[in-house]
Amino acid sequence: MIGGKLITTDDVDSAVRAFMRTTPPQQRWDVEFSFDWSTADADRLTVGERSAVEFVTIIEDHLPGYFAMYDRYFPVDGSVDLPTFAHNRELYHFSVRWAQEEDTHARVLEQYQIASGMAQPQQLRTALAVEGQKLFDLPYEHAVQFFTYPLVQEKATQIYYQHLRQAVGDPLLRDILTRLSRDEARHFSFFADVVQKYLQRYGDAMADPIRDVIAEFRMPLADTIRGYWRWALRIADVARYDHTEAYEYLIKVINRAVDAKSDKVTELVAFVEACRTLSVR
């Protein structure tokens, strides 16, 4: 269970309902029926583009680890009091939908590798299992940090998928990346909504926890995938891969949430703005 201030259950419910309305049933997609897999062709991809697909497949496939972490810190069981349970139960409505969509991302990228001839099923599953067994954790102390981190991560992933889509030569992969990018944009909107609610409700008290997230930010699995940074630099040659591109969107969230900025919030914005000059390239 996480410590620190929580927004109200009504606040969470409002954010969840807004998120659920972003994708009506007729606009949803799935692996089995939304694509003509017979057209998948890895021969249309460069070596670098193949490497990028392999990289993001590992990131997306770690979904069980991401979901388990939120379950640890926002439990829906008898370990919490009733008000906290109610808060966490509303959040669970989002997290279980989010997990389903992210799991679909993992499956569609895995299926692309198999259908296009990039990988054999058993070989790929084994490679993903090696990384999937590794623990993912965010050792944060404040609830707002568990929404600030994915706000940046989801936006950075969305931007990367947009860049990669413009580079790849296979039309089917471009279609997949378009759908992934749209989903990540929706996920970002949820986390942005929640962070904004924290700022509106608690103001200055949120500045230091948010700053700490940015000061130590690493993309998922940066500390567990062997050779992560070399791989990230390599795929950046295919499509720009820089999580600091997402920081301007965090600044927009802060500016929307706080009308009259205190010195504390002004310093936070200045710090995030300075971090935007960093690059993984």
Side-chain angles (χ1 to χ4, degrees):
M1 182 178 67
I2 194 64
K5 299 176 182 292
L6 296 174
I7 56 175
T8 68
T9 302
D10 285 344
D11 283 339
V12 179
D13 174 68
S14 174
V16 171
R17 289 179 182 275
F19 170 75
M20 295 298 187
R21 288 192 293 268
T22 59
T23 307
Q26 63 272 21
Q27 293 182 11
R28 295 173 194 164
W29 61 275
D30 61 34
V31 177
E32 282 70 32
F33 300 103
S34 298
F35 307 98
D36 180 358
W37 290 109
S38 67
T39 67
D41 185 3
D43 288 339
R44 292 174 176 264
L45 305 182
T46 66
V47 172
E49 289 163 6
R50 289 186 180 211
S51 184
V53 172
E54 293 168 355
F55 183 81
V56 296
T57 303
I58 293 174
I59 302 298
E60 295 282 9
D61 193 68
H62 208 76
L63 183 278
Y66 309 143
F67 185 73
M69 183 195 67
Y70 278 87
D71 192 46
R72 287 196 303 274
Y73 290 114
F74 298 95
V76 280
D77 57 32
S79 67
V80 295
D81 58 27
L82 283 177
T84 304
F85 183 97
H87 167 282
N88 293 353
R89 183 66 182 92
E90 292 306 314
L91 177 61
Y92 188 84
H93 292 311
F94 164 77
S95 62
V96 87
R97 170 70 70 83
W98 170 69
Q100 187 274 328
E101 293 180 359
E102 295 290 0
D103 194 56
T104 300
H105 294 183
R107 291 186 63 239
V108 78
L109 289 167
E110 180 181 352
Q111 180 60 29
Y112 179 80
Q113 288 200 48
I114 294 168
S116 69
M118 280 182 58
Q120 295 299 312
Q122 189 56 51
Q123 174 192 27
L124 178 56
R125 291 174 191 139
T126 300
L128 293 174
V130 168
E131 299 300 336
Q133 284 188 323
K134 298 175 183 177
L135 177 66
F136 176 78
D137 197 18
L138 297 173
Y140 294 142
E141 298 179 358
H142 300 273
V144 69
Q145 295 174 307
F146 286 88
F147 302 99
T148 305
Y149 178 90
L151 179 157
V152 173
Q153 180 264 318
E154 295 279 2
K155 177 56 70 173
T157 304
Q158 176 203 344
I159 293 170
Y160 180 68
Y161 285 150
Q162 289 173 335
H163 292 327
L164 185 58
R165 179 187 62 199
Q166 294 170 359
V168 298
D170 186 346
L172 178 63
L173 182 56
R174 287 200 296 269
D175 185 14
I176 291 170
L177 292 169
T178 296
R179 294 171 192 261
L180 299 188
S181 178
R182 288 172 180 168
D183 282 353
E184 304 296 13
R186 292 172 46 253
H187 301 163
F188 160 80
S189 294
F190 171 82
F191 291 115
D193 191 4
V194 172
V195 170
Q196 183 171 326
K197 291 178 188 300
Y198 270 96
L199 286 163
Q200 289 170 336
R201 187 165 293 276
Y202 298 116
D204 281 5
M206 299 296 101
D208 285 343
I210 291 174
R211 179 190 176 107
D212 289 345
V213 171
I214 301 305
E216 301 294 334
F217 191 89
R218 300 286 189 278
M219 287 294 281
L221 311 189
D223 298 322
T224 62
I225 294 178
R226 186 175 181 180
Y228 176 94
W229 291 109
R230 289 193 302 274
W231 203 347
L233 288 167
R234 187 165 64 248
I235 67 171
D237 290 335
V238 177
R240 182 175 172 82
Y241 186 71
D242 184 353
H243 69 263
T244 66
E245 287 189 79
Y247 289 174
E248 67 175 284
Y249 297 90
L250 173 59
I251 292 172
K252 290 177 181 178
V253 170
I254 297 169
N255 287 336
R256 284 199 304 267
V258 183
D259 293 327
K261 294 182 182 61
S262 65
D263 289 345
K264 195 87 170 174
V265 173
T266 299
E267 290 171 2
L268 171 62
V269 171
F271 176 76
V272 178
E273 180 68 38
C275 289
R276 289 177 61 197
T277 64
L278 300 176
S279 175
V280 298
R281 292 188 302 170

PDB file of all heavy atoms in Angstrom, residues 107-133:
ATOM      1  N   ARG A 107       0.441  -8.546 -27.520  1.00  0.00           N
ATOM      2  CA  ARG A 107       0.047  -9.644 -28.392  1.00  0.00           C
ATOM      3  C   ARG A 107       0.135  -9.267 -29.869  1.00  0.00           C
ATOM      4  O   ARG A 107       0.542 -10.074 -30.704  1.00  0.00           O
ATOM      5  CB  ARG A 107      -1.372 -10.104 -28.058  1.00  0.00           C
ATOM      6  CG  ARG A 107      -1.496 -10.789 -26.698  1.00  0.00           C
ATOM      7  CD  ARG A 107      -2.889 -11.362 -26.485  1.00  0.00           C
ATOM      8  NE  ARG A 107      -3.158 -12.389 -27.480  1.00  0.00           N
ATOM      9  CZ  ARG A 107      -4.180 -12.349 -28.348  1.00  0.00           C
ATOM     10  NH1 ARG A 107      -5.007 -11.324 -28.352  1.00  0.00           N
ATOM     11  NH2 ARG A 107      -4.366 -13.328 -29.203  1.00  0.00           N
ATOM     12  N   VAL A 108      -0.234  -8.031 -30.204  1.00  0.00           N
ATOM     13  CA  VAL A 108      -0.213  -7.651 -31.615  1.00  0.00           C
ATOM     14  C   VAL A 108       1.224  -7.531 -32.121  1.00  0.00           C
ATOM     15  O   VAL A 108       1.522  -7.894 -33.267  1.00  0.00           O
ATOM     16  CB  VAL A 108      -1.010  -6.352 -31.854  1.00  0.00           C
ATOM     17  CG1 VAL A 108      -0.241  -5.099 -31.451  1.00  0.00           C
ATOM     18  CG2 VAL A 108      -1.440  -6.241 -33.317  1.00  0.00           C
ATOM     19  N   LEU A 109       2.129  -7.072 -31.277  1.00  0.00           N
ATOM     20  CA  LEU A 109       3.529  -6.982 -31.688  1.00  0.00           C
ATOM     21  C   LEU A 109       4.159  -8.372 -31.787  1.00  0.00           C
ATOM     22  O   LEU A 109       4.952  -8.649 -32.688  1.00  0.00           O
ATOM     23  CB  LEU A 109       4.305  -6.110 -30.699  1.00  0.00           C
ATOM     24  CG  LEU A 109       3.972  -4.611 -30.760  1.00  0.00           C
ATOM     25  CD1 LEU A 109       4.540  -3.883 -29.555  1.00  0.00           C
ATOM     26  CD2 LEU A 109       4.475  -3.985 -32.056  1.00  0.00           C
ATOM     27  N   GLU A 110       3.787  -9.243 -30.863  1.00  0.00           N
ATOM     28  CA  GLU A 110       4.262 -10.627 -30.946  1.00  0.00           C
ATOM     29  C   GLU A 110       3.740 -11.298 -32.220  1.00  0.00           C
ATOM     30  O   GLU A 110       4.489 -11.960 -32.943  1.00  0.00           O
ATOM     31  CB  GLU A 110       3.797 -11.405 -29.716  1.00  0.00           C
ATOM     32  CG  GLU A 110       4.230 -12.860 -29.712  1.00  0.00           C
ATOM     33  CD  GLU A 110       3.739 -13.618 -28.489  1.00  0.00           C
ATOM     34  OE1 GLU A 110       3.184 -12.977 -27.565  1.00  0.00           O
ATOM     35  OE2 GLU A 110       3.889 -14.853 -28.444  1.00  0.00           O
ATOM     36  N   GLN A 111       2.455 -11.100 -32.495  1.00  0.00           N
ATOM     37  CA  GLN A 111       1.866 -11.704 -33.690  1.00  0.00           C
ATOM     38  C   GLN A 111       2.494 -11.138 -34.959  1.00  0.00           C
ATOM     39  O   GLN A 111       2.705 -11.874 -35.933  1.00  0.00           O
ATOM     40  CB  GLN A 111       0.351 -11.483 -33.717  1.00  0.00           C
ATOM     41  CG  GLN A 111      -0.375 -12.057 -34.915  1.00  0.00           C
ATOM     42  CD  GLN A 111      -0.210 -13.560 -35.043  1.00  0.00           C
ATOM     43  OE1 GLN A 111      -0.032 -14.257 -34.049  1.00  0.00           O
ATOM     44  NE2 GLN A 111      -0.280 -14.078 -36.262  1.00  0.00           N
ATOM     45  N   TYR A 112       2.820  -9.852 -34.947  1.00  0.00           N
ATOM     46  CA  TYR A 112       3.474  -9.274 -36.129  1.00  0.00           C
ATOM     47  C   TYR A 112       4.823  -9.947 -36.373  1.00  0.00           C
ATOM     48  O   TYR A 112       5.161 -10.278 -37.519  1.00  0.00           O
ATOM     49  CB  TYR A 112       3.662  -7.764 -35.989  1.00  0.00           C
ATOM     50  CG  TYR A 112       4.367  -7.207 -37.202  1.00  0.00           C
ATOM     51  CD1 TYR A 112       3.665  -6.962 -38.380  1.00  0.00           C
ATOM     52  CD2 TYR A 112       5.750  -7.003 -37.205  1.00  0.00           C
ATOM     53  CE1 TYR A 112       4.321  -6.517 -39.528  1.00  0.00           C
ATOM     54  CE2 TYR A 112       6.405  -6.557 -38.339  1.00  0.00           C
ATOM     55  CZ  TYR A 112       5.682  -6.315 -39.502  1.00  0.00           C
ATOM     56  OH  TYR A 112       6.333  -5.891 -40.635  1.00  0.00           O
ATOM     57  N   GLN A 113       5.592 -10.131 -35.300  1.00  0.00           N
ATOM     58  CA  GLN A 113       6.894 -10.767 -35.480  1.00  0.00           C
ATOM     59  C   GLN A 113       6.753 -12.168 -36.072  1.00  0.00           C
ATOM     60  O   GLN A 113       7.525 -12.565 -36.954  1.00  0.00           O
ATOM     61  CB  GLN A 113       7.634 -10.841 -34.139  1.00  0.00           C
ATOM     62  CG  GLN A 113       8.151  -9.505 -33.632  1.00  0.00           C
ATOM     63  CD  GLN A 113       9.247  -9.685 -32.612  1.00  0.00           C
ATOM     64  OE1 GLN A 113      10.183 -10.447 -32.828  1.00  0.00           O
ATOM     65  NE2 GLN A 113       9.142  -8.989 -31.487  1.00  0.00           N
ATOM     66  N   ILE A 114       5.755 -12.904 -35.615  1.00  0.00           N
ATOM     67  CA  ILE A 114       5.566 -14.273 -36.091  1.00  0.00           C
ATOM     68  C   ILE A 114       5.029 -14.275 -37.525  1.00  0.00           C
ATOM     69  O   ILE A 114       5.550 -14.971 -38.400  1.00  0.00           O
ATOM     70  CB  ILE A 114       4.618 -15.037 -35.145  1.00  0.00           C
ATOM     71  CG1 ILE A 114       5.274 -15.199 -33.767  1.00  0.00           C
ATOM     72  CG2 ILE A 114       4.235 -16.386 -35.741  1.00  0.00           C
ATOM     73  CD1 ILE A 114       4.332 -15.679 -32.689  1.00  0.00           C
ATOM     74  N   ALA A 115       3.983 -13.483 -37.775  1.00  0.00           N
ATOM     75  CA  ALA A 115       3.346 -13.491 -39.096  1.00  0.00           C
ATOM     76  C   ALA A 115       4.251 -12.928 -40.173  1.00  0.00           C
ATOM     77  O   ALA A 115       4.184 -13.346 -41.337  1.00  0.00           O
ATOM     78  CB  ALA A 115       2.032 -12.697 -39.048  1.00  0.00           C
ATOM     79  N   SER A 116       5.122 -12.007 -39.812  1.00  0.00           N
ATOM     80  CA  SER A 116       5.990 -11.372 -40.807  1.00  0.00           C
ATOM     81  C   SER A 116       7.253 -12.168 -41.084  1.00  0.00           C
ATOM     82  O   SER A 116       8.003 -11.848 -42.006  1.00  0.00           O
ATOM     83  CB  SER A 116       6.389  -9.971 -40.330  1.00  0.00           C
ATOM     84  OG  SER A 116       7.255 -10.047 -39.209  1.00  0.00           O
ATOM     85  N   GLY A 117       7.502 -13.193 -40.274  1.00  0.00           N
ATOM     86  CA  GLY A 117       8.710 -13.986 -40.444  1.00  0.00           C
ATOM     87  C   GLY A 117       9.903 -13.512 -39.642  1.00  0.00           C
ATOM     88  O   GLY A 117      11.001 -14.034 -39.796  1.00  0.00           O
ATOM     89  N   MET A 118       9.689 -12.553 -38.746  1.00  0.00           N
ATOM     90  CA  MET A 118      10.788 -12.065 -37.924  1.00  0.00           C
ATOM     91  C   MET A 118      11.242 -13.088 -36.893  1.00  0.00           C
ATOM     92  O   MET A 118      12.423 -13.132 -36.525  1.00  0.00           O
ATOM     93  CB  MET A 118      10.376 -10.771 -37.204  1.00  0.00           C
ATOM     94  CG  MET A 118      10.443  -9.521 -38.043  1.00  0.00           C
ATOM     95  SD  MET A 118       9.989  -8.047 -37.074  1.00  0.00           S
ATOM     96  CE  MET A 118      11.194  -8.118 -35.739  1.00  0.00           C
ATOM     97  N   ALA A 119      10.292 -13.877 -36.370  1.00  0.00           N
ATOM     98  CA  ALA A 119      10.622 -14.790 -35.277  1.00  0.00           C
ATOM     99  C   ALA A 119       9.748 -16.030 -35.339  1.00  0.00           C
ATOM    100  O   ALA A 119       8.636 -15.993 -35.887  1.00  0.00           O
ATOM    101  CB  ALA A 119      10.452 -14.088 -33.935  1.00  0.00           C
ATOM    102  N   GLN A 120      10.243 -17.105 -34.734  1.00  0.00           N
ATOM    103  CA  GLN A 120       9.462 -18.319 -34.552  1.00  0.00           C
ATOM    104  C   GLN A 120       8.756 -18.251 -33.196  1.00  0.00           C
ATOM    105  O   GLN A 120       9.313 -17.705 -32.232  1.00  0.00           O
ATOM    106  CB  GLN A 120      10.359 -19.551 -34.616  1.00  0.00           C
ATOM    107  CG  GLN A 120      10.996 -19.770 -35.979  1.00  0.00           C
ATOM    108  CD  GLN A 120       9.948 -19.969 -37.066  1.00  0.00           C
ATOM    109  OE1 GLN A 120       9.013 -20.755 -36.910  1.00  0.00           O
ATOM    110  NE2 GLN A 120      10.105 -19.243 -38.168  1.00  0.00           N
ATOM    111  N   PRO A 121       7.548 -18.798 -33.093  1.00  0.00           N
ATOM    112  CA  PRO A 121       6.757 -18.639 -31.866  1.00  0.00           C
ATOM    113  C   PRO A 121       7.478 -19.048 -30.589  1.00  0.00           C
ATOM    114  O   PRO A 121       7.531 -18.268 -29.629  1.00  0.00           O
ATOM    115  CB  PRO A 121       5.529 -19.517 -32.126  1.00  0.00           C
ATOM    116  CG  PRO A 121       5.395 -19.538 -33.611  1.00  0.00           C
ATOM    117  CD  PRO A 121       6.789 -19.505 -34.142  1.00  0.00           C
ATOM    118  N   GLN A 122       8.029 -20.245 -30.538  1.00  0.00           N
ATOM    119  CA  GLN A 122       8.639 -20.721 -29.295  1.00  0.00           C
ATOM    120  C   GLN A 122       9.872 -19.910 -28.933  1.00  0.00           C
ATOM    121  O   GLN A 122      10.099 -19.568 -27.765  1.00  0.00           O
ATOM    122  CB  GLN A 122       9.002 -22.201 -29.408  1.00  0.00           C
ATOM    123  CG  GLN A 122       9.452 -22.832 -28.087  1.00  0.00           C
ATOM    124  CD  GLN A 122       8.413 -22.673 -26.994  1.00  0.00           C
ATOM    125  OE1 GLN A 122       7.234 -22.997 -27.180  1.00  0.00           O
ATOM    126  NE2 GLN A 122       8.830 -22.142 -25.833  1.00  0.00           N
ATOM    127  N   GLN A 123      10.654 -19.589 -29.938  1.00  0.00           N
ATOM    128  CA  GLN A 123      11.852 -18.775 -29.702  1.00  0.00           C
ATOM    129  C   GLN A 123      11.469 -17.414 -29.129  1.00  0.00           C
ATOM    130  O   GLN A 123      12.098 -16.923 -28.177  1.00  0.00           O
ATOM    131  CB  GLN A 123      12.604 -18.604 -31.025  1.00  0.00           C
ATOM    132  CG  GLN A 123      13.798 -17.657 -30.956  1.00  0.00           C
ATOM    133  CD  GLN A 123      14.321 -17.309 -32.344  1.00  0.00           C
ATOM    134  OE1 GLN A 123      13.591 -17.327 -33.326  1.00  0.00           O
ATOM    135  NE2 GLN A 123      15.601 -16.979 -32.423  1.00  0.00           N
ATOM    136  N   LEU A 124      10.449 -16.804 -29.682  1.00  0.00           N
ATOM    137  CA  LEU A 124      10.026 -15.485 -29.225  1.00  0.00           C
ATOM    138  C   LEU A 124       9.455 -15.559 -27.817  1.00  0.00           C
ATOM    139  O   LEU A 124       9.765 -14.713 -26.966  1.00  0.00           O
ATOM    140  CB  LEU A 124       8.986 -14.913 -30.196  1.00  0.00           C
ATOM    141  CG  LEU A 124       8.401 -13.541 -29.850  1.00  0.00           C
ATOM    142  CD1 LEU A 124       9.501 -12.496 -29.676  1.00  0.00           C
ATOM    143  CD2 LEU A 124       7.410 -13.098 -30.926  1.00  0.00           C
ATOM    144  N   ARG A 125       8.621 -16.547 -27.569  1.00  0.00           N
ATOM    145  CA  ARG A 125       8.024 -16.672 -26.232  1.00  0.00           C
ATOM    146  C   ARG A 125       9.088 -16.866 -25.160  1.00  0.00           C
ATOM    147  O   ARG A 125       8.985 -16.318 -24.057  1.00  0.00           O
ATOM    148  CB  ARG A 125       7.028 -17.830 -26.210  1.00  0.00           C
ATOM    149  CG  ARG A 125       5.777 -17.578 -27.023  1.00  0.00           C
ATOM    150  CD  ARG A 125       4.894 -18.800 -27.093  1.00  0.00           C
ATOM    151  NE  ARG A 125       3.826 -18.621 -28.087  1.00  0.00           N
ATOM    152  CZ  ARG A 125       3.426 -19.553 -28.916  1.00  0.00           C
ATOM    153  NH1 ARG A 125       3.980 -20.767 -28.890  1.00  0.00           N
ATOM    154  NH2 ARG A 125       2.456 -19.318 -29.777  1.00  0.00           N
ATOM    155  N   THR A 126      10.102 -17.645 -25.486  1.00  0.00           N
ATOM    156  CA  THR A 126      11.183 -17.862 -24.528  1.00  0.00           C
ATOM    157  C   THR A 126      11.936 -16.571 -24.252  1.00  0.00           C
ATOM    158  O   THR A 126      12.245 -16.243 -23.095  1.00  0.00           O
ATOM    159  CB  THR A 126      12.160 -18.939 -25.051  1.00  0.00           C
ATOM    160  OG1 THR A 126      11.446 -20.168 -25.233  1.00  0.00           O
ATOM    161  CG2 THR A 126      13.300 -19.152 -24.068  1.00  0.00           C
ATOM    162  N   ALA A 127      12.244 -15.830 -25.314  1.00  0.00           N
ATOM    163  CA  ALA A 127      12.956 -14.560 -25.146  1.00  0.00           C
ATOM    164  C   ALA A 127      12.140 -13.582 -24.306  1.00  0.00           C
ATOM    165  O   ALA A 127      12.686 -12.884 -23.433  1.00  0.00           O
ATOM    166  CB  ALA A 127      13.264 -13.958 -26.516  1.00  0.00           C
ATOM    167  N   LEU A 128      10.838 -13.526 -24.535  1.00  0.00           N
ATOM    168  CA  LEU A 128       9.981 -12.631 -23.762  1.00  0.00           C
ATOM    169  C   LEU A 128       9.873 -13.088 -22.314  1.00  0.00           C
ATOM    170  O   LEU A 128       9.805 -12.270 -21.389  1.00  0.00           O
ATOM    171  CB  LEU A 128       8.598 -12.550 -24.403  1.00  0.00           C
ATOM    172  CG  LEU A 128       8.544 -11.877 -25.778  1.00  0.00           C
ATOM    173  CD1 LEU A 128       7.146 -11.997 -26.379  1.00  0.00           C
ATOM    174  CD2 LEU A 128       8.959 -10.409 -25.690  1.00  0.00           C
ATOM    175  N   ALA A 129       9.860 -14.396 -22.099  1.00  0.00           N
ATOM    176  CA  ALA A 129       9.767 -14.920 -20.737  1.00  0.00           C
ATOM    177  C   ALA A 129      11.002 -14.573 -19.912  1.00  0.00           C
ATOM    178  O   ALA A 129      10.907 -14.289 -18.711  1.00  0.00           O
ATOM    179  CB  ALA A 129       9.568 -16.433 -20.775  1.00  0.00           C
ATOM    180  N   VAL A 130      12.162 -14.580 -20.552  1.00  0.00           N
ATOM    181  CA  VAL A 130      13.405 -14.235 -19.852  1.00  0.00           C
ATOM    182  C   VAL A 130      13.300 -12.836 -19.262  1.00  0.00           C
ATOM    183  O   VAL A 130      13.675 -12.592 -18.104  1.00  0.00           O
ATOM    184  CB  VAL A 130      14.611 -14.345 -20.806  1.00  0.00           C
ATOM    185  CG1 VAL A 130      15.856 -13.712 -20.176  1.00  0.00           C
ATOM    186  CG2 VAL A 130      14.883 -15.797 -21.160  1.00  0.00           C
ATOM    187  N   GLU A 131      12.795 -11.898 -20.047  1.00  0.00           N
ATOM    188  CA  GLU A 131      12.638 -10.525 -19.556  1.00  0.00           C
ATOM    189  C   GLU A 131      11.415 -10.396 -18.652  1.00  0.00           C
ATOM    190  O   GLU A 131      11.423  -9.630 -17.680  1.00  0.00           O
ATOM    191  CB  GLU A 131      12.527  -9.553 -20.730  1.00  0.00           C
ATOM    192  CG  GLU A 131      13.743  -9.524 -21.637  1.00  0.00           C
ATOM    193  CD  GLU A 131      15.011  -9.114 -20.920  1.00  0.00           C
ATOM    194  OE1 GLU A 131      14.932  -8.420 -19.882  1.00  0.00           O
ATOM    195  OE2 GLU A 131      16.096  -9.502 -21.392  1.00  0.00           O
ATOM    196  N   GLY A 132      10.364 -11.149 -18.956  1.00  0.00           N
ATOM    197  CA  GLY A 132       9.126 -11.023 -18.198  1.00  0.00           C
ATOM    198  C   GLY A 132       9.241 -11.458 -16.758  1.00  0.00           C
ATOM    199  O   GLY A 132       8.491 -10.977 -15.900  1.00  0.00           O
ATOM    200  N   GLN A 133      10.170 -12.338 -16.447  1.00  0.00           N
ATOM    201  CA  GLN A 133      10.333 -12.806 -15.077  1.00  0.00           C
ATOM    202  C   GLN A 133      10.984 -11.767 -14.171  1.00  0.00           C
ATOM    203  O   GLN A 133      10.912 -11.879 -12.950  1.00  0.00           O
ATOM    204  CB  GLN A 133      11.180 -14.079 -15.059  1.00  0.00           C
ATOM    205  CG  GLN A 133      10.435 -15.328 -15.496  1.00  0.00           C
ATOM    206  CD  GLN A 133      11.263 -16.583 -15.259  1.00  0.00           C
ATOM    207  OE1 GLN A 133      12.487 -16.574 -15.424  1.00  0.00           O
ATOM    208  NE2 GLN A 133      10.600 -17.663 -14.874  1.00  0.00           N
TER     209      GLN A 133
END
